[in-house]
């Protein structure tokens, strides 16, 4: 019986998190209320406060749950690429799936803006981004990148964020068109070899 009750509680909590993730892109971070979350999740308003101390706590949990899963998946997929050039091409291809005005992009942008006012959100987002950069830096080093891998990983992460911001303003911006300059930043060609002509990043047969 206790297990069943705990399972129901977890299901309800997840519905609240999912409702918050859906509402933030629609209404903005500050537009989400307890009543709206409860309505979207199909529960009584009091249930929200049973699971979360405040709407802000709910939004932080929902937002960082989404961003954490997204960054983890990106890192996993990226680090499976055998060369830096292929990794850059793959990342830009992934960005093409987002218009900058889609729900996922809007949620992340709302979170970045809210993090300037909420220390807890800023700290948790910062930890997630640091984890992503660390994975990218390790991958770059393993692929033979000769520069400061940590700095390069930070530059790549910032470039990806910038592309998405520009996509929101310029829907015609094609992320794939930026592959050449980004590959050049890492000293790689489309084929994965370094511009210095070494073979450290060639895909092995």
């Amino acid at each position: 019986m206790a297990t069943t009750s705990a399972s129901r509680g977890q299901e309800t909590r997840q519905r609240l998190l999912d409702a918050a993730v859906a509402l933030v892109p629609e209404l903005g971070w500050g537009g989400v209320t307890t009543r709206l979350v409860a309505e979207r999740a199909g529960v009584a308003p009091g249930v929200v406060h049973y699971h979360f101390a405040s709407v802000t706590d709910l939004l932080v949990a929902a937002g960082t749950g989404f961003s954490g899963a997204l960054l983890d998946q990106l890192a996993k997929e990226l680090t499976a690429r055998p060369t830096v050039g292929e990794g850059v091409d793959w990342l830009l291809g992934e960005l093409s799936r987002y218009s900058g005005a889609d729900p996922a992009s809007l949620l992340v942008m709302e979170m970045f803006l809210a993090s300037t006012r909420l220390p807890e959100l800023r700290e948790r987002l910062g930890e997630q981004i640091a984890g992503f950069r660390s994975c990218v830096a390790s991958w770059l080093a393993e692929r033979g990148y000769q520069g400061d891998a940590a700095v390069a990983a930070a530059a790549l992460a910032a470039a990806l964020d910038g592309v998405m911001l520009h996509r929101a303003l310029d829907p015609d911006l094609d992320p794939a068109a930026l592959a050449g300059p980004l590959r050049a930043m890492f000293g790689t060609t489309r084929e994965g070899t370094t511009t210095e002509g070494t073979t450290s990043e060639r895909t092995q047969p």
Side-chain angles (χ1 to χ4, degrees):
M1 191 73 172
T3 301
T4 301
S5 178
S7 297
R8 285 200 298 267
Q10 283 298 108
E11 291 173 1
T12 299
R13 178 184 173 87
Q14 189 58 54
R15 289 209 305 273
L16 293 172
L17 292 170
D18 292 343
V21 165
L23 286 168
V24 170
E26 295 175 13
L27 305 173
W29 187 276
V32 179
T33 65
T34 298
R35 178 182 60 80
L36 290 171
V37 172
E39 287 179 356
R40 182 65 62 93
V43 300
V47 174
V48 178
H49 292 294
Y50 175 80
H51 289 276
F52 300 94
S54 67
V55 173
T56 296
D57 287 342
L58 166 59
L59 293 178
V60 169
T64 55
F66 177 88
S67 59
L70 177 62
L71 288 172
D72 286 347
Q73 186 62 33
L74 285 175
K76 179 181 178 181
E77 293 283 350
L78 174 64
T79 54
R81 266 56 194 181
T83 71
V84 174
E86 289 179 36
V88 168
D89 288 345
W90 177 82
L91 274 176
L92 292 173
E94 282 297 292
L95 286 190
S96 296
R97 297 171 48 198
Y98 303 97
S99 66
D102 60 279
S105 299
L106 292 174
L107 174 59
V108 172
M109 284 189 274
E110 286 286 338
M111 288 175 64
F112 270 70
L113 181 59
S115 71
T116 64
R117 302 184 299 272
L118 301 172
E120 180 186 358
L121 177 58
R122 182 167 61 251
E123 180 179 352
R124 291 176 66 176
L125 267 179
E127 289 172 352
Q128 291 177 350
I129 293 172
F132 176 75
R133 289 178 179 175
S134 178
C135 287
V136 174
S138 296
W139 172 73
L140 287 170
E142 291 167 2
R143 298 303 183 273
Y145 179 69
Q146 297 301 305
D148 188 322
V151 170
L156 179 60
L160 297 178
D161 289 338
V163 170
M164 292 315 300
L165 287 173
H166 282 248
R167 287 268 283 173
L169 300 173
D170 179 9
D172 294 328
L173 177 64
D174 180 10
L178 307 176
L182 278 178
R183 282 195 301 268
M185 182 176 77
F186 292 104
T188 65
T189 66
R190 185 175 184 83
E191 291 72 25
T193 58
T194 64
T195 54
E196 289 78 12
T198 68
T199 58
S200 60
E201 287 190 35
R202 286 186 186 146
T203 305
Q204 299 299 316

